[in-house]
Each structure stands twice: as structure tokens, then as C-alpha cells.
């Protein structure tokens, strides 16, 4: 007998039929004698709708009330899942974040889990009760207010709960049967991975593969939670294991590149003819940092006259207008001729632990992309990944090109 956490994402609880099917996966584990805590997302599309309503109500709204609104989606599915489980003869009750309680920071809209008290849920296990926990939400203890964990945050709720309960496994049920070499909806030749290392999954998630929230991977890595990504759409009587996120040592076979990720959440800013003298980079990037804007890629090109330089950098698309305004405001102290912006860009990245021991991987990619006529606007590299910024129109072509170039296509 083991303790398990099963998480069901938006498409796995999209309507009552889907909730019933997901409940059969819970039933299978209960019938096998396990103790189960379930974490649910809101019905797919619901959180987007709630977020949209907040924006319509007031573009600049109170973040605490935003959380009060968007946390509601998970309350509905938690209750419905408990009802459906009871209907199957399984004792179950729903738990809202504050009831568990799941304590978080007060960063409304992207709060961090600080502590989970699993006592009440573990008590329920002794009488065979399934706990159905609303994902994505928590409580800030001092203010007594509801918080949410950032989009995709139910993954993090599930892994954190698994750590708190000392669960043997955390199964993330979604609409694909595991982690693939790239988004299988974009590249039909993508291959499912049996295993992927924590570090690689962290990079994949932070570079755009939305199958797991980044923080859930961090938690799984730090607390050594055995986490699987698997499909709720499969026959509950005959499920496949999915993909295990695990330590690097537990993977036998290493490829140079394990996966390709892409993110449209990027915007590019270029300052033309910036004075080429000490202190300029600080004049640009300090105000952005103070405004909590994350600058990612940076390239500096000395212009023809050699006394000035062109500087290109990227920021999250959501911060584009703010970043532009900050730079305009600091125009005097920076001193540049013009500012140009582009939100129609995408960052495509290749990730693989094997890159540590192979030189020239990025260079092969640049060549492959140029042969397809794809212009690279900016580049970043680090130990186990490299990223290129390109025009959004070339996203699919670039992802497919890199996917085959690094031998990731499945055999036809
Ligand atoms: P859920 O609602 O269950 O949390 P998400 O939509 O958040 O599901 O994540 C699942 C989706 O992630 C898949 O439908 C798939 O399109 C996308 N995805 C992106 N990259 C990958 C990848 N490398 N492997 C698997 N799925 C991926
Ligand atoms: N419902 C939330 C969202 O759409 C959390 C989640 O699904 O993980 O972001
Ligand atoms: Mg998700």
C-alpha cells in the first residue's frame, strides 16, 4: 500500500464525462489498495475566462481580488470530482487551499508555496477517504487572503502535496501520454520520452514546453518526488506509465539534444546608435531590473561609425510596453538615436545534458536554420541549452528543422 498524488489538468476535467473518466483512474489506484490525494485544475478554458473578466472589469485591478476570482475554477472541479468518486462508492471530500491549509507567500498571481499541513488529509486516509484538493491556490496566512500560484500552477500544487504527504509517486495526468521531444501538436514526428532528467525538464518548461509548470519541476527535483506525466485519456483499466522525471544518473541513454522548446512569450527591443562608453549597459538594464522586468537575450553590435553601438535585448511579451516606456524615459541618460520593437518573434531552444560534452552543437543548428532561410535575431547559450530568436512566422519550420537535425524524429 502506498500514498499517491494524482493530478488532473484542465482537459482531464473539462466536463462531467471527462471527470468520470479521470475518476476511474483514481478508482484503479484505490482498488489496488493505495491511499490517494487528487489535485484538480479548473475545467479547460475556465481560468482564461476568469482572467478575461478581471481585465474587462478594470485593466489595472487589485491582485488580491484577481486571485479571489481566478481561484474559483478549481473549487467547482474539486467538488464535482468528490461527488463523482462518491458515486463510484469511494469515500471522498473536497479541500480548498485554505482548508488544507496550503500556506503561500503574498505574491498574488504568482505566489509560492511555503508550507503544507498534510495532517487532516492523512487522517482522512486512515478511514479510506480520498482527498480532492483544489489546485492552483493557497492562503497567505498573515492577511488571510486567497492566493494563486501562477498559470499552470496545479502541477506545483500536486508535487508540493506529494512532498508534504511523503507520497511514493505523483502522477500528472494530462491530454498527452508523456513528455515528448517537442510539442507533439506542432511536430507530429515528436517522440515520447520514457525518462527525462530534472535539469532538462526544468529547461524545457522554462523555455516554453507548458506540459509542466517550472516550479513543479524545481520542487520534484529538490524533494526527490517521483513524478510521472501520463494521459487521462487512456483506458483506465490499461494505462501506460508515461514519462518519469528523474535524476540524470537514472537515465541510461543520452542524446546530445533531448528536446526542442519554443516560446512566443518574447519581445525584442533594439536601441540604435547607443554611445559606446562605460556605464551604458547599466543605464539601460538597471531601470528595467528595478521594474522587475527580466531581460533575457542581449546582443551588442558595434555600428559602422565605431563610436556607437546597436543593442538588442528581449523581455517577456507581457512587459514589452512597460520596458519600452522605461527606456524612453531614460533616453537622456542612455543617449540613443532610435528605439525599435518587435513582438512578432519566437525563441526556439534546444536542450540536452549531452551538450556538456559535445562542442559545436549550436553551430550545427545555426547552419541548419540558415539553409532554410531563417534569420537569427539573437542567440543565447548555456551549459545544457541554446536559444535563438527568430521571426514568429518561422516557428514551425525552425522547430521541425532542429528536431530532425538532432535525430529526434521518430521512424515513420
Ligand atoms: P493540463 O491542462 O493537463 O495541465 P497543459 O495544456 O498545461 O495540460 O499541458 C499539456 C500540453 O503541453 C500538451 O497538450 C502539449 O500540447 C503541450 N506540450 C508542449 N510541449 C510539450 C512536450 N515537450 N511534451 C508534451 N507536451 C507538450
Ligand atoms: N487552472 C489554472 C490555469 O489554467 C491552473 C492549472 O491549470 O494548472 O492556469
Ligand atoms: Mg498545465
Amino acid at each position: 500500500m502506498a500514498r499517491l498524488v494524482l493530478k488532473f489538468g484542465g482537459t482531464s476535467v473539462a466536463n462531467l464525462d471527462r471527470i468520470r473518466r479521470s475518476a476511474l483512474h483514481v478508482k484503479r489506484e484505490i482498488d489496488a489498495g493505495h491511499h490517494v490525494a487528487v489535485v484538480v485544475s479548473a475545467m479547460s478554458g475556465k481560468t482564461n475566462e476568469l482572467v478575461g473578466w478581471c481585465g474587462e472589469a478594470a485593466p489595472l485591478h487589485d491582485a488580491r481580488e484577481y486571485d479571489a476570482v481566478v481561484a474559483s475554477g478549481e473549487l467547482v472541479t474539486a467538488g464535482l470530482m468528490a461527488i463523482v468518486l462518491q458515486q463510484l462508492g469511494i469515500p471522498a471530500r473536497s479541500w480548498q487551499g485554505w482548508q488544507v491549509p496550503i500556506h503561500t507567500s503574498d505574491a498574488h498571481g504568482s505566489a509560492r508555496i511555503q508550507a503544507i499541513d498534510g495532517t487532516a488529509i492523512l487522517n482522512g486516509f486512515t478511514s479510506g477517504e480520498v482527498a480532492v484538493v483544489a489546485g492552483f491556490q493557497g492562503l497567505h496566512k498573515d492577511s488571510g487572503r486567497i492566493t494563486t500560484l501562477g498559470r499552470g500552477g496545479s502541477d506545483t500544487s500536486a508535487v508540493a502535496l506529494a512532498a508534504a504527504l511523503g507520497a511514493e509517486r505523483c502522477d500528472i495526468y494530462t491530454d498527452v501520454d508523456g513528455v515528448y521531444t517537442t510539442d507533439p501538436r506542432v511536430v507530429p514526428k515528436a517522440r515520447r520520452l520514457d525518462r527525462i532528467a530534472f535539469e532538462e525538464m526544468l529547461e524545457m518548461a522554462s523555455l516554453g514546453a507548458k506540459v509542466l509548470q517550472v516550479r513543479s519541476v524545481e520542487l520534484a527535483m529538490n524533494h526527490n518526488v517521483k513524478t510521472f506525466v501520463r494521459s487521462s485519456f487512456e483506458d483506465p483499466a490499461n494505462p501506460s506509465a508515461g514519462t518519469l522525471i528523474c535524476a540524470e544518473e537514472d537515465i541510461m541513454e543520452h542524446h546530445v539534444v533531448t528536446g526542442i522548446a519554443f516560446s512566443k512569450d518574447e519581445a525584442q527591443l533594439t536601441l540604435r546608435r547607443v554611445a559606446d562608453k562605460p556605464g551604458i549597459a547599466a543605464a539601460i538594464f538597471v531601470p528595467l531590473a528595478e521594474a522587475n522586468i527580466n531581460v533575457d537575450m542581449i546582443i551588442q553590435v558595434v555600428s559602422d561609425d565605431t563610436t556607437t553601438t546597436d543593442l538588442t535585448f528581449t523581455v517577456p511579451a507581457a512587459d514589452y510596453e512597460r520596458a519600452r516606456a522605461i527606456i524612453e524615459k531614460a533616453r537622456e541618460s542612455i543617449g540613443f538615436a532610435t528605439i525599435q520593437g518587435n513582438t512578432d518573434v519566437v525563441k526556439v531552444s534546444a536542450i540536452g545534458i549531452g551538450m556538456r560534452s559535445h562542442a559545436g552543437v549550436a553551430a550545427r543548428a545555426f547552419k541548419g536554420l540558415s539553409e532554410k532561410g531563417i534569420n537569427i535575431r539573437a542567440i543565447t547559450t548555456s551549459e545544457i541549452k541554446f536559444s535563438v530568436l527568430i521571426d514568429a512566422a518561422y516557428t514551425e519550420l525552425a522547430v521541425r528543422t532542429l528536431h530532425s537535425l538532432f535525430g529526434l524524429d521518430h521512424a515513420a
Side-chain angles (χ1 to χ4, degrees), residues 131-152:
V132 185
V133 179
F136 184 49
Q137 57 177 265
L139 169 74
H140 180 244
K141 206 171 166 186
D142 299 344
S143 62
R145 309 221 41 176
I146 305 298
T147 55
T148 63
L149 308 178
R151 298 306 306 271

Side-chain angles (χ1 to χ4, degrees), residues 38 48 58 63-64 86 103 143 147 159 178 224 229 248 280 286 288 292 300 319 333 364 366 368 383 407:
V38 175
N48 284 347
R64 294 163 300 186
Q86 290 170 3
H103 290 299
S143 62
T147 55
V159 176
N224 224 343
V229 173
E248 191 181 333
I280 288 304
V286 169
L288 293 173
N292 253 329
Q300 185 177 347
D319 293 329
S333 59
R364 272 174 68 197
F366 303 154
E383 203 187 21

Side-chain angles (χ1 to χ4, degrees), residues 229-245:
V229 173
R230 50 198 303 189
S231 169
S232 72
F233 285 63
E234 289 182 341
D235 178 4
N238 194 16
S240 52
T243 302
L244 173 65
I245 325 296

Side-chain angles (χ1 to χ4, degrees), residues 8 13 25 57 86 91 106 120 134 138 149 156 175 216 256 269 288 291 305 322 335 339 349 351 373 376-377 395 405:
F8 295 95
V13 293
H25 288 277
Q86 290 170 3
D106 65 351
L149 308 178
T156 303
D175 54 2
S216 71
V256 178
L269 282 162
L288 293 173
D305 60 17
R322 233 161 34 97
I339 178 168
S349 310
I351 297 104
I376 299 173
R377 294 168 162 271
T395 310
L405 184 75

Side-chain angles (χ1 to χ4, degrees), residues 7 152 155 210-211:
K7 179 256 174 178
D155 298 330
K210 71 163 188 167
V211 59

Side-chain angles (χ1 to χ4, degrees), residues 7 9-10 41-43 45 47-48 70 74 135-136 150-155:
K7 179 256 174 178
S41 291
M43 292 179 177
T47 309
N48 284 347
V70 301
E74 273 73 8
F136 184 49
R151 298 306 306 271
S154 298
D155 298 330

